Amino acid sequence: MPTLSVFMDVPLAQKLEGRLLKTYKQDNCPQKMFLAYRACMTNEGQLWVSPVVHKIRLQIVQDPSLNHEYMPVMGMKSFIQASLELLFGKHSRVISENRVGGVHTVGDSGAFQLAAQFLKTWRGASQIVYIISSQNELHGLVFQDMGFTVCEYSFWDSRQLCMSPNMLLDVVEQAPHGCIFVIGNIDNFKMTQHQWAKLMAAMKSKQIFPFFDIPYQGLSTGDLKEDTKFLQYFVSGGFEFFCNQSLSKNFGIYDEGVAILVVVAFNNRLLLCALSQLTNFALALWLNPPTMGSRIVTTILCNPALQEAWKQNLKEVVENIMLIKGKVKEKLRLLGTPGSWNHITDQKGTHGYLGLDSQQVDYLVKKKHIYIPKNGRINFTCINARNIDYVTESINEAVLLTKDSEK
């Protein structure tokens, strides 16, 4: 009698890479292009890696003194300390008061997995998670798998062509007491001091727990301190919070998946208790984190000359992004494309909204083989000298055709 397979009723899982990328890969058009990569790209269309990283990676590989013993479950102390100083500043109040710490995780997903497990166990009354992001994140799946109710929001105002602080404030005011807010790209909201104060007052009165996602510090403005300045508002406002500090994109070590789940507590005693529980969860999940990425980051951050060279690399990338955005805006102006395109250069970071409607996006994908998400948010580092004319001419064509169809 044949033995029935344990896996007989297991269906083939749907790939999480997304329908857009799948369609792009199946497209045989020679002019096809994908403008939705999450990683930072070079002018040659390759993944960007900080030049300093190449040098340090070789040094580490050739270092005969390194052993391959297990690392501490929380990660190397020097790595955690250097990363926290990068995030908050060496002389930050929260560091001097010894009430911030972190756990080295296996990439961003590891940070969210660890946080979700902790919050499920020790904040069980909070079953609702709001994810505030400009793109579809996998974080929602992590929280859903842990039994949370997930609400996802994007606050791009398609009429005003900007991120809307008022829309964010409205959601916070309507959110239930004690929920969790996972917030990414908050620096693009351009809030006034009054709006910041109003946001924090609403979150504090409702005991909303903030969880900040910082995927590319330094690649937003080119200034590491400026990119995380908003964290100081919450520290000064007396908040406890989590933070996912990703160090993969801003160093260009995507294959290493380097991240830290950062914890800010009211005092050192509470911090140590939280870290002890997170360490136990990490022990069960991955025993100890991989070391190559953390060694690269630590070597660079702990050497003033290397850190300065890396900071210069980031500034050059941001300057190039600003140059690309400026050229896209200018080419659309010269083509006579209807509408204002100032929003392209007003946005910070590698990614930004084109301000196109769904019909225009659909035209670009189906007729011009330019693959961008439905919300029109693209990775501007995917645009370079070889494709900028085709991209801008296609946008102009899409806008003109849809404008004509409305008449």
Side-chain angles (χ1 to χ4, degrees):
M1 183 177 176
T3 304
L4 293 177
S5 171
V6 174
F7 311 111
M8 180 178 290
D9 296 324
V10 179
L12 191 66
Q14 185 178 358
K15 287 188 177 180
L16 294 176
E17 66 180 8
R19 192 177 302 167
L20 188 70
L21 183 57
K22 183 179 180 181
T23 309
Y24 165 77
K25 288 179 177 180
Q26 293 172 344
D27 189 345
N28 294 319
C29 176
Q31 282 186 301
K32 71 175 182 178
M33 60 185 70
F34 192 77
L35 303 185
Y37 288 115
R38 294 184 178 230
C40 187
M41 311 297 284
T42 67
N43 289 328
E44 293 72 40
Q46 302 297 316
L47 285 175
W48 174 81
V49 179
S50 170
V52 183
V53 168
H54 286 298
K55 175 182 174 183
I56 300 306
R57 192 188 289 270
L58 283 174
Q59 284 183 10
I60 291 172
V61 169
Q62 296 169 0
D63 186 351
S65 67
L66 284 180
N67 62 46
H68 298 279
E69 185 57 82
Y70 286 118
M71 288 289 109
V73 179
M74 289 177 63
M76 295 189 297
K77 286 185 178 180
S78 55
F79 167 64
I80 300 293
Q81 185 64 28
S83 301
L84 293 176
E85 289 177 2
L86 179 71
L87 191 63
F88 293 99
K90 190 171 184 179
H91 304 292
S92 169
R93 170 182 163 189
V94 76
I95 289 179
S96 63
E97 292 174 356
N98 203 18
R99 57 187 183 90
V100 61
V103 179
H104 179 188
T105 64
V106 184
D108 296 5
S109 295
F112 282 98
Q113 180 73 42
L114 197 60
Q117 189 123 24
F118 179 93
L119 293 169
K120 186 71 177 177
T121 305
W122 297 107
R123 197 179 166 93
S126 303
Q127 293 298 305
I128 300 176
V129 175
Y130 284 73
I131 296 183
I132 314 301
S133 179
S134 301
Q135 60 190 19
N136 290 328
E137 301 285 6
L138 297 178
H139 318 331
L141 295 177
V142 174
F143 283 101
Q144 282 176 0
D145 286 346
M146 291 297 296
F148 289 93
T149 299
V150 175
C151 307
E152 298 192 46
Y153 289 88
S154 175
F155 296 114
W156 174 253
D157 188 329
S158 57
R159 290 188 178 182
Q160 298 296 323
L161 297 176
C162 66
M163 297 292 283
S164 172
N166 290 328
M167 291 167 68
L168 172 61
L169 290 167
D170 287 344
V171 170
V172 171
E173 287 173 1
Q174 293 167 18
H177 186 276
C179 64
I180 299 158
F181 263 61
V182 179
I183 308 174
N185 302 325
I186 196 170
D187 55 323
N188 254 323
F189 279 96
K190 296 182 179 178
M191 290 192 282
T192 64
Q193 288 293 332
H194 174 71
Q195 287 170 325
W196 277 114
K198 190 176 179 182
L199 173 68
M200 291 191 291
M203 293 181 75
K204 183 164 278 190
S205 68
K206 292 196 169 190
Q207 295 187 350
I208 292 173
F209 183 75
F211 187 169
F212 299 107
D213 182 23
I214 303 181
Y216 37 67
Q217 183 185 359
L219 287 175
S220 185
T221 64
D223 185 328
L224 290 158
K225 291 181 180 178
E226 183 66 25
D227 285 1
T228 57
K229 185 172 68 175
F230 69 89
L231 289 177
Q232 304 302 335
Y233 297 154
F234 286 86
V235 169
S236 300
F239 280 84
E240 293 184 305
F241 58 85
F242 278 168
C243 181
N244 167 49
Q245 180 188 17
S246 174
L247 296 159
S248 294
K249 295 182 181 70
N250 53 3
F251 282 86
I253 45 177
Y254 315 97
D255 57 333
E256 301 296 342
V258 189
I260 293 177
L261 176 60
V262 177
V263 184
V264 172
F266 288 143
N267 56 52
N268 180 254
R269 183 184 64 81
L270 294 170
L271 172 68
L272 293 177
C273 290
L275 290 176
S276 70
Q277 295 294 339
L278 287 167
T279 302
N280 283 348
F281 289 134
L283 187 64
L285 285 169
W286 51 69
L287 183 59
N288 77 315
T291 60
M292 176 57 87
S294 60
R295 280 176 172 154
I296 291 171
V297 171
T298 306
T299 303
I300 293 172
L301 293 183
C302 292
N303 182 305
L306 292 175
Q307 184 178 148
E308 195 55 42
W310 170 67
K311 287 180 181 178
Q312 188 58 40
N313 294 161
L314 293 178
K315 288 179 182 177
E316 290 167 0
V317 171
V318 172
E319 286 170 4
N320 188 54
I321 293 168
M322 292 168 65
L323 190 64
I324 291 167
K325 290 178 178 178
K327 285 182 178 179
V328 169
K329 184 175 80 170
E330 180 61 14
K331 284 182 179 290
L332 290 172
R333 186 188 69 81
L334 292 174
L335 287 166
T337 311
S340 169
W341 299 95
N342 291 331
H343 60 277
I344 288 178
T345 49
D346 287 343
Q347 297 171 80
K348 301 175 185 176
T350 55
H351 293 67
Y353 290 92
L354 285 173
L356 302 179
D357 62 32
S358 58
Q359 190 179 357
Q360 293 160 349
V361 169
D362 199 48
Y363 180 87
L364 289 178
V365 174
K366 292 181 178 177
K367 300 295 184 182
K368 308 305 291 186
H369 305 273
I370 298 174
Y371 290 85
I372 66 177
K374 289 181 180 179
N375 63 8
R377 187 172 185 265
I378 69 165
N379 181 347
F380 277 94
T381 66
C382 293
I383 299 177
N384 51 52
R386 291 173 298 173
N387 62 25
I388 190 170
D389 288 333
Y390 181 72
V391 170
T392 51
E393 287 165 10
S394 297
I395 292 172
N396 179 60
E397 193 176 307
V399 173
L400 290 175
L401 285 171
T402 52
K403 291 291 183 185
D404 289 342
S405 67
E406 291 172 3
K407 293 178 181 178

